[in-house]
Amino acid sequence: MNNKLWAFALMALLTACAGPGGPSGQQSWRCEHGIDFRVRFVDDSALLEGTRANEVLFRDAGGQGPQQSVYSNSKMRAEFGLGANGREALLTYPALPLKARCVRD
C-alpha cells in the first residue's frame, strides 16, 4: 500500500473510532483566504481535513523552540505554534504560490 493510500486509511480509521464528536485532540483552525481546517497530530504526522482538501503532512525540520513544529508534503507546508501565545500557524502552498496565516479556535 503506498504512503498516500495508507495515510488516508489511517485518517478514516481515526475518524470512525472517534464517533460523532470527532477525534480527541483535534484542533480547529481559521485562516486567511477562506481556508478552514481541522488537524490531528499522530506520531510524526499531521492529518489535515479542510475546506480545500484532506492532506497528510509529515514532520519536517524547522521551528524555533519546542512549541513550534513544521509539517510538510509535496503540496504544502504547515508551521504550528507561532505567535506570542502559540495559537497561530502559517500554511504555505508553494505551487500556487500562496501563504495563509491561521489562528486556532
Side-chain angles (χ1 to χ4, degrees), residues 32-44:
E32 299 171 318
H33 312 294
I35 300 170
D36 295 319
F37 69 94
R38 291 174 307 282
V39 63
R40 177 158 168 79
F41 298 99
V42 178
D43 296 325
D44 285 337

Side-chain angles (χ1 to χ4, degrees), residues 4-70:
K4 190 171 186 177
L5 186 57
W6 175 86
F8 283 114
L10 176 62
M11 186 181 295
L13 178 64
L14 289 172
T15 303
C17 292
S24 63
Q26 191 174 59
Q27 301 173 355
S28 295
W29 293 79
R30 288 177 290 113
C31 310
E32 299 171 318
H33 312 294
I35 300 170
D36 295 319
F37 69 94
R38 291 174 307 282
V39 63
R40 177 158 168 79
F41 298 99
V42 178
D43 296 325
D44 285 337
S45 61
L47 309 173
L48 278 72
E49 295 178 39
T51 53
R52 295 183 184 250
N54 294 334
E55 294 289 341
V56 177
L57 308 178
F58 299 98
R59 188 70 188 248
D60 203 345
Q64 308 248 336
Q67 102 176 9
Q68 293 183 3
S69 56
V70 179

